[in-house]
């Protein structure tokens, strides 16, 4: 039938983890996606809902230990370092587009002849549309950049002070002392203060837009007492009035369907379980304050990966990504 | 154009509350729904996202203080007692189908010539399909009934012992001592023990299926330390083997797209932010244990209301209701 | 000096776990206690605060891998099965009083010549005062029994229906899927439904008071979404009026400093971080409902162990146990 | 009897609020305190446990609507602005020492002949010992200052960047949209960014120690998803090595029983429900990072008030304040 919707055939590697699960959840309801396989060596043969229990009643698909090149897009939902190894060890056909969620290719690294475009649509949508391989941005990196891109493009960045608070899903599903419920409930702690690895990709993007920027990005990452979502507050010295700054941001994000400027105070749950990013500005004295929020597993990972797929495959950028927020 | 999707024109009354907000969230992405108006006297003229902040970027619709009969379905998302008053005070055209989320019409009450069908699709889908007015079941009532319907239909019900744990959204958005974060966080308490108002509609349904049932339904409602979701554990004396009981439940729910029998232990977050209900059985000695779980605002309220609308309007029962779970 | 306070010399085995830590916290501020050693093979030589980080600034004591008999009381804070093995493998001097927090000796088991008294002061305070060895009750077992003892003593027990909700500390500090923050936060689940191991010690106690009691104790244990505290709701058929039942309970607990009858609705945080148990009664139809609450690590474990020590050593029953609740 | 402990006679005004409740909890178990009255007009005649339900079984004291001058110390646990009005409207005898928990007298304000000493023992213990009136520091102010005092004393302060995350008890017990459980659970938001009112008292203290300090204190206050505790992370450019900085802090806090320097990473629950403050340092590049944590209601309010009372009355500074942490 001529009017049948385009169907992109998809493979998912590393489908048993958090981002792999979110990928499956999104793609099962995506109008233009067919999941060809979900690869997981350790779970081969088991139904997806044996690992992702919420999928009971949604699909009878099973994990497979086999790969196939009879797909259009391959999502790599592997740990850092594992994506590189996977591409080296497996013969992925050249025409298969690869979207990698690890940090292995975010700084310009290549794998064989594969070159990777940094997949932040709000920064380089045009490049993504023609890309064959995408390095999907980090969760904190997405939130920080979406708070700063308009300033960088306007050449207004200088030393930035940033606090980022992340839900526990940011640390993955491995069992460790800091992921124990008894420890983390009602608790706060920090990690990698001023030295988080995402600073590299953040700086790289900002310097693309504002090559002269050399100021510090002082980033304090905080472990939050909840599972999902990232809150970012950045501030810097800036001469713009609040009105001018809001206009700058609204203009920058005008054509982007997932990033919006709020003129009211925002709170994290506005975006949890969605692919959206909300940005809110304040001006206090000579400091401009930028809050930006996202769901770390969606706009910060799997949702953005699907957004990139949509762009690469000529689909509506929002296809499959109009997700109901949790709200409460 | 002949192939355009059917569009049901919808009015929502009480759109500023929790269930009204969920109704809007679902219907904005429903392929066969057009929201004609969202009524709220106190918020008339304001954008929906002024109240439901997560809708920023989703819609520019505003609340209205006006009603219109130029709709197909009217959802009443009002407090208990208010739905009855609303129908008495306003001239709703007879051809407008009404779906009421309050408890005003669940026990056979009428409003003028409007008679209401109890809208539990897993019990009376055929009746719902031809109904003009629906009394949408209560949240606890839905969970308890979905745990017991197959037994009632088989005539196997006897005295039941039920614990129900609900998220804070079950108590609505009014500010009260028991909804204060400082009080409710990490806390447990009970209310209306053995005397919850939902027992009436539960008993009514069960007796429709098993008229001779007169045993007690001993229900202990618990305030849980989380916002969304209902957990129900019921048990009763029963001669069925576990295998036979599981088969009974699977047979009963075979044609129902949202209610599924799990053979593994379930946990609440499998269904949070979805319209699903999962049921799991255990047999210990001569007692049959039934766990049933749902999202109190979706399968327990607004999601089920849309499921009823789908059935009444000849749409796919699942249209607009394939929602991504929060999982974590 | 003649007026110096009595000092009980104490050894703690298994001091690196949750109950061991609570033991240390209580005893450091106990006016009549001197901690002689805290034994932990894997942590020998490290300061206590290397494991129990909150003790920084409280004490410079270190863990030891050595045991000594130069003590008055030995607390065993070991896993189930480990306490028995420990007593078999180590030569504990006969004059050392042993208080065991495991379930190894709660049903009348002995170790060599050591016989154990079940250490529930509200049931057998007189026996505890003269005991040489104590089997400290289980956490759920304490809460359920404190809700039922007065009825059993009055010979009024019959089939009981009990829901118990526990904080995550009840499952200890081992890392497992169900203790992962991402999984447990905002979640509910049950385990060992109608078959929890504490039922044995509960039944044993109740039959001591009401030998003819043979009814079922139907117990539904629930994993709660918070770290500390146990909520118990039990109900049974009972002819007593509410007033008579309240009087029965008040009379029973009159001389007991930690268990109190509340005439208002209770909530769990009234007792968290204290050694108290609060009991509240309701009468609905012919059913008597009893709510009982405690901190699972204190009245349900280490606090009760110190209460037993106080009784065994002739100290004020409340010494060291007037703990500030967390309240919020 | 000559050896009887000193007993300080105490009045509490505003005893029905959060800080008033904490004051009562501490003082009931304080070896040198007698609560003469707890004043609350709206609760006069009711037992304390009618408001502070966790006190059931602890005391039979009742609230009173009457004041008395037959006391040694009066704690004012009133809202901001109310303390000043209370002292103007009531005839408090000159010999009664006043400890005010509001912000009314923290910047040098007086009430009649009453002059107030800023009650931060780690800064001016000697002054507190001879003071007649104390302005008890704010909760955020305490945490920020304890993180910066040693640097200020060494003349090393320059522009500071500070994130502070507070539990919900910091906002008091009034019902408001941002204190609703459904809203606050799993949520993050900020308020008064770069403009929090505590900045005034912080700056005042720091300039006392380092008069030439004029740099900005950039403070981002965050609403945390838990009831109790404050996390502060501050950083600034500093030439000190980590070792030198740690030594500076250890020297500064050497004689202070509640503030300790941790050489390991800290987490908030180490101090919740205690009067302690823990400080931890990191050095990254040329930036010194200081984390400081406290319980906002104890070291940040009522605990520090009792610490001040102990100092003013010649008692052991820690009397009544060796509190068991919640830990989990």
């Amino acid at each position: 039938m001529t009017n049948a919707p385009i169907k992109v055939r998809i493979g998912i590697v590393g489908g048993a983890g958090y981002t792999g699960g979110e990928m499956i959840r999104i793609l099962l309801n995506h109008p233009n996606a067919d999941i060809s396989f979900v690869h997981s060596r350790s779970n081969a043969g088991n139904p997806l809902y044996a690992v992702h229990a919420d999928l009971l009643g949604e699909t009878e698909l099973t994990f497979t230990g086999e790969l196939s090149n009879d797909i259009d897009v391959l999502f790599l939902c592997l740990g850092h370092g594992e994506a590189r190894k996977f591409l080296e060890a497996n013969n992925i056909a050249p025409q298969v587009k690869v979207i990698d969620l690890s940090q292995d290719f975010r700084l310009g690294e290549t794998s064989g002849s594969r070159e990777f475009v940094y997949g932040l649509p709000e920064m380089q949508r045009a490049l993504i549309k023609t890309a064959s391989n995408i390095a999907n941005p980090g969760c904190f990196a997405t939130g920080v950049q979406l708070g700063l891109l308009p300033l960088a493009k306007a050449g207004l960045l200088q030393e930035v002070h940033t606090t980022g608070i992340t839900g526990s899903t940011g640390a993955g599903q491995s069992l460790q002392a800091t992921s124990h419920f008894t420890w983390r409930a009602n608790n706060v702690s920090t990690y990698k203060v001023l030295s988080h690895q995402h600073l590299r990709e953040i700086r790289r993007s900002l310097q693309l837009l504002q090559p002269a920027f050399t100021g510090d990005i002082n980033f304090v990452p905080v472990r939050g007492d909840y599972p999902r979502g990232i809150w970012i507050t950045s501030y810097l010295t800036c001469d713009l009035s609040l009105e001018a700054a809001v206009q700058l941001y609204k203009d920058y994000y005008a054509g982007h369907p997932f990033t919006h400027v709020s003129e009211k105070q925002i709170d994290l749950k506005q975006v949890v379980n969605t692919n959206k990013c909300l940005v809110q500005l304040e001006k206090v004295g000579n400091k401009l304050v930028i809050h930006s929020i996202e769901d770390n597993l969606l706009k910060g990972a799997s949702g953005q990966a699907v957004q990139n797929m949509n762009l690469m495959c000529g689909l509506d950028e929002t296809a499959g990504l109009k997700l109901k927020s949790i709200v409460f």
Side-chain angles (χ1 to χ4, degrees), chain A:
Chain A
M1 185 178 143
T2 54
N3 286 336
I6 299 166
K7 286 286 187 182
V8 178
R9 297 163 306 159
I10 291 162
I12 298 171
V13 175
Y18 283 174
T19 57
E22 291 292 276
M23 200 66 73
I24 297 165
R25 286 176 197 100
I26 295 168
L27 294 173
L28 280 176
N29 291 324
H30 192 297
N32 309 109
D34 267 339
I35 299 179
S36 296
F37 65 82
V38 182
H39 183 267
S40 166
R41 249 189 305 264
S42 54
N43 294 287
N46 293 330
L48 299 186
Y49 60 72
V51 170
H52 305 297
D54 64 295
L55 294 180
L56 183 67
E58 312 275 320
T59 177
E60 292 298 319
L61 275 175
T62 56
F63 290 102
T64 176
E66 305 294 311
L67 296 170
S68 158
N69 275 318
D70 196 19
I71 54 173
D72 302 303
V73 175
L74 182 67
F75 289 100
L76 303 183
C77 302
L78 297 165
H80 301 309
E82 297 300 313
R84 164 174 297 282
K85 287 184 201 161
F86 177 87
L87 289 178
E88 286 168 2
N90 293 281
N91 186 19
I92 307 302
Q95 76 276 11
V96 172
K97 298 176 197 296
V98 170
I99 301 178
D100 174 35
L101 280 75
S102 85
Q103 67 184 27
D104 291 359
F105 302 102
R106 293 179 192 156
L107 303 177
E109 302 92 334
T110 57
S111 175
S113 63
R114 291 190 182 268
E115 301 188 345
F116 289 77
V117 169
Y118 188 70
L120 188 60
E122 285 80 355
M123 188 171 81
Q124 41 195 10
R125 183 158 51 187
L127 277 175
I128 294 165
K129 285 184 174 176
T130 60
S132 296
N133 305 286
I134 292 288
N136 211 56
C139 52
F140 265 139
T142 297
V144 173
Q145 288 174 82
L146 291 177
L148 298 177
L149 289 180
L151 291 174
K153 190 179 171 205
L156 294 172
L157 268 192
Q158 40 182 297
E159 184 177 15
V160 182
H161 303 278
T162 300
T163 300
I165 309 178
T166 182
S168 61
T169 49
Q173 66 191 353
S174 73
L175 298 170
Q176 43 192 317
T178 52
S179 68
H180 197 296
F181 179 84
T182 298
W183 186 85
R184 188 154 183 158
N186 307 301
N187 213 352
V188 179
S189 58
T190 55
Y191 63 106
K192 301 181 184 168
V193 177
L194 307 190
S195 58
H196 195 280
Q197 68 274 11
H198 285 182
L199 288 170
R200 293 194 295 272
E201 62 184 278
I202 294 169
R203 175 170 297 281
R204 193 166 188 267
S205 293
L206 297 178
Q207 286 182 335
L208 273 175
L209 296 181
Q210 181 179 336
F213 172 62
T214 58
D216 278 354
I217 304 167
N218 301 279
F219 179 40
V220 177
V222 181
R223 289 186 191 95
D225 167 31
Y226 56 87
R228 269 178 180 266
I230 279 180
W231 176 280
I232 303 287
T233 295
S234 296
Y235 62 87
L236 73 173
T237 302
C238 181
D239 285 340
L240 288 183
S241 68
L242 179 61
E243 293 66 31
V246 166
Q247 196 56 52
L248 179 76
Y249 276 69
K250 286 195 167 180
D251 289 348
Y252 187 99
Y253 290 121
H256 292 283
F258 291 113
T259 300
H260 304 281
V261 180
S262 173
E263 306 211 30
K264 289 176 57 180
Q265 292 205 359
I266 57 178
D267 64 88
L268 184 57
K269 288 203 290 190
Q270 290 179 256
V271 298
V272 172
N273 215 27
T274 80
N275 196 49
K276 292 198 294 189
C277 174
L278 293 186
V279 178
Q280 183 217 339
L281 304 174
E282 300 187 68
K283 188 80 194 280
V284 187
N286 64 341
K287 301 274 176 35
L288 181 67
V289 182
I290 311 105
H291 309 290
S292 51
I293 57 176
E294 57 164 31
D295 185 307
N296 55 301
L297 291 176
L298 293 171
K299 184 59 177 167
S302 305
Q304 186 149 267
V306 173
Q307 185 181 354
N308 282 319
M309 177 194 85
N310 288 345
L311 291 170
M312 294 165 89
C313 296
L315 304 172
D316 179 340
E317 188 171 351
T318 67
L321 290 171
K322 294 189 170 174
L323 302 170
K324 183 191 162 305
S325 86
I326 184 79
V327 209
F328 308 120

